[in-house]
Amino acid sequence: MASEDITKLAESLAKTKVGGGQLSFKGQSLKLNTAEDAEEVIKQIEECDDLEALRLEGNTVGVEAAKVIAKALEKKSELKRCHWSDMFTGRLRSEIPPALISLGDALITAGAQLVELDLSDNAFGPDGVRGFEALLKSPACYTLQELKLNNCGMGIGGGKILAGALKEGHKKSSAQGKPLALKVFVAGRNRLENDGATALAEAFGIIGTLEEVHMPQNGINHPGITALAQAFAINPLLKVINLNDNTFTEKGAVAMAETLKALRQIEVINFGDCLVRSKGAVAIADAVKEGLHKLKELNLSFCEIKRDAALTVAEAIEDKAELEKLDLNGNCLGEEGCEQLQEILESFNMAAVLGSLSDDEGEEEDDEEEEEDEDEEEEEEEEEEQQQLKERSQGEQESLTPKKIIDSQDSTPVPSPPVDVATFLAFPSPEKLLRLGPKCSVLIAQQTDTSDVEKVVTTLLRISSVFKDEAPVKTAVHETTDALMRKTFTSATFNSDAFITSLLIHMGLLKSEEKIKAVPSLYGILMTLNHMVQQDYFPKSLAPVLSAFVTKPNRALDSCSFARHMLLQTLHQL
């Protein structure tokens, strides 16, 4: 390490805070790559007697540095709180699991009994959960009360691994006569979706001691919401439920309302931007009216709630003496409805609890219930369609994966059926793209009319839809995208502005006069765009436009927070 680097590190460490059993390196932007880089940090850890809390947020720790820090932690049996959010900035995802394994093994060796583990804002993805899976199952976490994993990009797979670890930890701790009694669970912005949420709901139901659950922006629809509601019902100590920016619809809202009737300690309900709609809002209002006497905050903002339903909610809070905030902003009350709402609250001296109504969408036309029912039906059809596609894809993976399927009679390999470009584009899957062979990029580019903006956009979306963070598929998607878009953008007659407009419409980020169905998931196209914008063929003039629309609040984008963050970070660096 250069002498100037050592000086800089020493200056940073001078800011280290020690006191009350806590050692803090928070926000020092330390770049700890090697064992040598970590020498001063290790010294501070070793010299801190009765270390109960270690703060490493806002630094970046590599594999080698993690190993030597872990060695120092093996002697710290008093450690109870690990504040380790945002400590892998700039690291490859492959570096994070081994670093976490080293640190976790050290805590197990030390015989630590953790109370809090915070790994938020570390973009480790599903594989990263494997890095602390053993820790969660170990005696070091039998005493865990707070688990914080916000914005980690865990995805469905990571959610399932996490759920399994929690269940195993509870089973093992129960056998020791000290069942895991988790109180606070935080996992917002993780793309958990229905399957991940359902797996975690099963774990929650087994644990039964939760007091706070924060799972906003996870792309969870009514099946996942219903599973969570059933789990919450057997966690009687729940005080805070934050499911902001998921998609309840009436089914999910009614299920959650039934659960609320069984809970007596609820203080905060955050269902903002959850599309509970009018029928769901009325069901929740009934639950509030029947009980919830400790309620302090109710957020039903941006939920497409009509005037009458909103007024029903207002009437339901009449005897809630502890209530501090009611948020009904961004719904469909209209000017008259807003006035009526305020009058109702004033009539029982609670006007002060009402939040701003500045973003009210205005009262909608008649036939609202019919429109809601149609929307519900469309959403259910979309969910069924996505499930069928998922099942079909799984079936293809089993039947079309290029491997020898040996017949029990003659041991003759059964050949995989041939795939052409048209077949892939009609029903895209990673396996089909790979089976097109090494010339897949050339074939798709040759057979796409790059003078037609719509065809280019459609083809790009089909290619990106099969994106996986696995080397063969990822490479095939990138190479095919490069061939198609290089040919497209180098054409003198191609309209780049029309391309970006059409793409944004198909992504659901820009409204169109024509009814165009947005792609069901933005993860693949966001990850593909992250690659595209870095290539020499991509017009740099499109970067500000893309950045502006990807930055804007959008439920579909929020459910792909990891991919969105990656793209925005790349665009910012251009």
Side-chain angles (χ1 to χ4, degrees):
M1 181 184 264
S3 59
E4 59 268 24
D5 292 334
I6 294 174
T7 302
K8 187 176 180 181
L9 178 60
E11 289 172 355
S12 294
L13 289 170
K15 302 173 186 174
T16 301
K17 295 178 182 178
V18 183
Q22 174 174 282
L23 178 60
S24 176
F25 300 94
K26 182 178 179 180
Q28 294 184 20
S29 301
L30 301 176
K31 295 180 180 178
L32 308 178
N33 298 316
T34 65
E36 186 183 4
D37 294 340
E39 282 179 359
E40 287 294 327
V41 174
I42 293 165
K43 183 182 177 184
Q44 295 273 359
I45 291 172
E46 289 175 341
E47 292 178 353
C48 184
D49 296 328
D50 302 321
L51 179 63
E52 293 187 4
L54 178 60
R55 308 194 75 103
L56 291 172
E57 310 104 305
N59 299 290
T60 178
V61 182
V63 176
E64 292 306 312
K67 285 181 181 178
V68 292
I69 291 172
K71 196 70 179 173
L73 290 176
E74 287 181 359
K75 299 174 184 177
K76 300 297 176 180
S77 59
E78 304 90 353
L79 190 60
K80 291 180 173 61
R81 298 184 183 275
C82 297
H83 302 280
W84 294 350
S85 63
D86 188 24
M87 64 176 234
F88 296 110
T89 304
R91 298 289 169 186
L92 297 173
R93 276 174 62 177
S94 59
E95 292 182 86
I96 302 176
L100 288 173
I101 288 170
S102 296
L103 294 167
D105 287 350
L107 298 176
I108 296 169
T109 301
Q113 294 186 316
L114 294 186
V115 172
E116 179 179 359
L117 177 61
D118 186 355
L119 291 169
S120 299
D121 300 316
N122 290 308
F124 47 60
D127 294 339
V129 185
R130 294 285 188 199
F132 59 94
E133 180 184 15
L135 175 63
L136 288 178
K137 295 178 180 179
S138 77
C141 282
Y142 289 177
T143 50
L144 194 65
Q145 294 179 15
E146 299 180 31
L147 180 58
K148 300 173 182 177
L149 299 165
N150 202 54
N151 192 31
C152 293
M154 289 190 291
I156 294 170
K160 289 181 176 180
I161 297 167
L162 176 61
L166 289 172
K167 288 191 288 185
E168 183 70 15
H170 186 272
K171 181 181 177 181
K172 287 182 175 180
S173 59
S174 297
Q176 297 291 322
K178 297 178 180 178
L180 172 65
L182 193 66
K183 293 181 180 179
V184 178
F185 180 83
V186 181
R189 302 179 67 184
N190 270 293
R191 297 184 292 109
L192 294 170
E193 301 181 17
N194 289 332
D195 290 350
T198 300
L200 284 166
E202 188 178 338
F204 296 163
I206 292 169
I207 293 168
T209 55
L210 288 166
E211 294 180 12
E212 294 185 25
V213 175
H214 303 264
M215 295 174 67
Q217 298 181 7
N218 269 298
I220 308 170
N221 298 327
H222 74 79
I225 297 297
T226 300
L228 287 171
Q230 292 167 349
F232 292 165
I234 42 182
N235 280 266
L237 302 177
L238 264 174
K239 296 178 181 178
V240 178
I241 302 177
N242 177 6
L243 294 174
N244 188 285
D245 203 2
N246 288 291
T247 308
F248 282 43
T249 63
E250 183 189 343
K251 286 185 178 180
V254 169
M256 194 61 71
E258 285 302 308
T259 285
L260 291 174
K261 291 177 182 178
L263 299 174
R264 292 289 176 265
Q265 306 301 320
I266 289 291
E267 295 178 4
V268 177
I269 297 171
N270 187 344
F271 297 158
D273 205 11
C274 282
L275 207 65
V276 304
R277 295 203 173 113
S278 295
K279 292 178 181 177
V282 169
I284 292 169
D286 288 343
V288 171
K289 191 170 185 177
E290 285 185 22
L292 306 187
H293 294 292
K294 296 184 179 181
L295 188 63
K296 293 180 179 178
E297 181 177 334
L298 175 59
N299 185 346
L300 293 174
S301 60
F302 300 93
C303 281
E304 293 191 5
I305 300 169
K306 308 301 187 296
R307 179 180 61 180
D308 290 347
L311 299 181
T312 301
V313 172
E315 290 166 353
I317 67 166
E318 181 176 0
D319 63 345
K320 309 305 168 201
E322 302 293 320
L323 194 71
E324 298 171 0
K325 184 178 180 181
L326 171 64
D327 193 345
L328 288 168
N329 198 17
N331 287 300
C332 310
L333 283 68
E335 187 175 342
E336 186 179 340
C338 290
E339 290 175 0
Q340 289 176 322
L341 181 65
Q342 289 167 332
E343 286 171 6
I344 288 173
L345 293 173
E346 284 171 2
S347 70
F348 37 81
N349 200 29
M350 292 186 71
V353 305
L354 183 63
S356 170
L357 296 173
S358 60
D359 293 317
D360 186 74
E361 295 287 339
E363 193 166 11
E364 294 189 359
E365 302 296 328
D366 294 336
D367 303 324
E368 293 161 357
E369 288 187 10
E370 288 180 20
E371 287 175 14
E372 272 195 15
D373 291 340
E374 287 173 10
D375 287 342
E376 293 263 3
E377 286 172 13
E378 282 181 18
E379 282 157 12
E380 287 173 17
E381 285 171 10
E382 278 184 27
E383 285 171 19
E384 288 174 11
E385 188 179 317
Q386 287 179 34
Q387 185 62 31
Q388 288 170 0
L389 286 170
K390 187 176 178 182
E391 290 169 0
R392 187 189 302 163
S393 176
Q394 288 171 344
E396 286 174 353
Q397 191 166 348
E398 292 171 5
S399 62
L400 301 181
T401 301
K403 62 181 180 180
K404 292 182 179 181
I405 305 172
I406 308 300
D407 186 91
S408 58
Q409 298 289 325
D410 56 15
S411 298
T412 304
V414 178
S416 298
V419 172
D420 56 21
V421 172
T423 304
F424 166 73
L425 292 177
F427 299 101
S429 73
E431 294 72 30
K432 286 178 186 168
L433 182 62
L434 293 176
R435 280 173 42 217
L436 280 171
K439 293 185 178 180
C440 65
S441 58
V442 177
L443 291 170
I444 291 176
Q446 285 177 345
Q447 296 184 38
T448 303
D449 181 2
T450 53
S451 65
D452 188 326
V453 169
E454 284 300 308
K455 284 184 180 177
V456 171
V457 169
T458 302
T459 304
L460 174 63
L461 290 169
R462 296 285 170 84
I463 296 167
S464 65
S465 70
V466 306
F467 179 90
K468 279 186 176 180
D469 201 12
E470 298 171 3
V473 177
K474 185 177 180 179
T475 300
V477 169
H478 286 173
E479 289 179 351
T480 307
T481 298
D482 288 343
L484 172 66
M485 299 315 299
R486 190 178 298 280
K487 177 186 174 186
T488 298
F489 285 128
T490 52
S491 170
T493 58
F494 188 74
N495 188 332
S496 298
D497 291 336
F499 163 78
I500 198 70
T501 299
S502 177
L503 180 62
L504 291 169
I505 289 170
H506 281 274
M507 290 172 70
L509 306 183
L510 183 64
K511 289 185 179 179
S512 169
E513 292 180 3
E514 299 175 24
K515 194 169 183 180
I516 294 175
K517 194 173 183 179
V519 292
S521 172
L522 294 181
Y523 180 72
I525 185 60
L526 289 173
M527 294 301 283
T528 303
L529 283 169
N530 185 51
H531 168 79
M532 269 178 60
V533 300
Q534 300 177 64
Q535 309 311 308
D536 57 6
Y537 60 73
F538 185 80
K540 296 299 182 270
S541 62
L542 299 183
V545 180
L546 188 57
S547 180
F549 279 91
V550 175
T551 304
K552 290 171 70 174
N554 183 285
R555 185 181 293 109
L557 284 171
D558 289 337
S559 66
C560 304
S561 58
F562 173 75
R564 179 192 207 177
H565 173 73
M566 293 284 287
L567 176 56
L568 287 174
Q569 193 173 44
T570 301
L571 288 168
H572 181 69
Q573 292 169 355
L574 290 178

